[in-house]
Amino acid sequence: MKILITAGPTREFFDPVRYISNRSSGKMGYALARAARRYGQVTLVSGPVALKPPAGVEFVPVTTAAEMAREVFRRYRQTDLVIMAAAVCDYRPSKKARGKIKKSRLDIGLTLELKPTTDILAELGRRKTRQRLVGFAAETDRLVANAREKLQRKNLDMIVANPVQAMEADTNRVTLLYADGRVEPLPEMPKSKLARQIMRRVNALRT
Ligand code: CTP
């Protein structure tokens, strides 16, 4: 089985040194990559994080959402399972200044105009043939309802719903939602253990 896992945040630049991003640490995605090795050949497409890539996986470092999209799309046809654990930025600055933006001497504010990035997972859902697709949903409220909506809209086989508090933490308490309507809450546990539990269930989804 060929497994593609994404992890970490993306960075969206508005000048050569400044970007917008999010709090993702990559811990969940890296734990999944580690746990997935026993099920097949693993590729880890990762945004910038402070973690060491696990041994025995193909490691593809990326920075922006556009780069992540490119690396994921070019591998999709040969892939059996995609797990999108990355916290892909939903928006990027509309313009990237060529030089470093100078602070205005007039001390006026600076407005950043943003435009949406490609929703990688939704696009994978549209192009799905034999692949199994697993997404993550980070929510502050209405966890299960919002996750179910994403599961359906993005044509996923399973979604891992977690409260945003799990970002940066070493443990996570998730609820798994399946395409067939099943909802499975799991107890709080270390991300390493959770990764093994998720992989076991994803593997059982095999058609
Ligand atoms: N995702 C993606 N490409 C994006 C944004 C998100 O592939 N541009 C994926 C994430 O990797 C995750 C899933 O979509 O697996 C859900 O991400 P989330 O941010 O929770 O949902 P959004 O669709 O961005 O919706 P919202 O931000 O409104 O909650």
Side-chain angles (χ1 to χ4, degrees), residues 22-82:
N22 59 64
R23 285 169 51 196
S24 170
S25 64
K27 285 176 192 166
M28 194 64 240
Y30 277 56
L32 282 163
R34 217 168 268 123
R37 290 177 300 191
R38 60 153 67 186
Y39 297 94
Q41 214 175 306
V42 180
T43 299
L44 175 62
V45 178
S46 174
V49 297
L51 303 172
K52 222 170 76 192
V57 313
E58 184 200 4
F59 183 66
V60 183
V62 296
T63 305
T64 65
E67 285 167 18
M68 183 171 283
R70 189 168 62 236
E71 296 300 335
V72 170
F73 292 153
R74 58 185 283 244
R75 289 172 171 82
Y76 191 45
R77 248 158 51 98
Q78 298 88 265
T79 299
D80 303 295
L81 165 65
V82 180

Side-chain angles (χ1 to χ4, degrees), residues 84 86 88 90 117-121 135-138 150 153-154:
M84 285 285 310
V88 186
D90 287 327
T117 58
T118 302
D119 189 323
I120 303 171
L121 190 53
F136 272 72
K150 285 175 194 173
R153 177 163 48 87
K154 303 192 187 193

Side-chain angles (χ1 to χ4, degrees), residues 175-195:
T175 300
L176 305 179
L177 289 88
Y178 299 85
D180 64 8
R182 271 182 301 143
V183 177
E184 183 184 16
L186 298 180
E188 178 167 353
M189 63 184 92
K191 287 180 175 175
S192 52
K193 182 171 177 194
L194 178 61

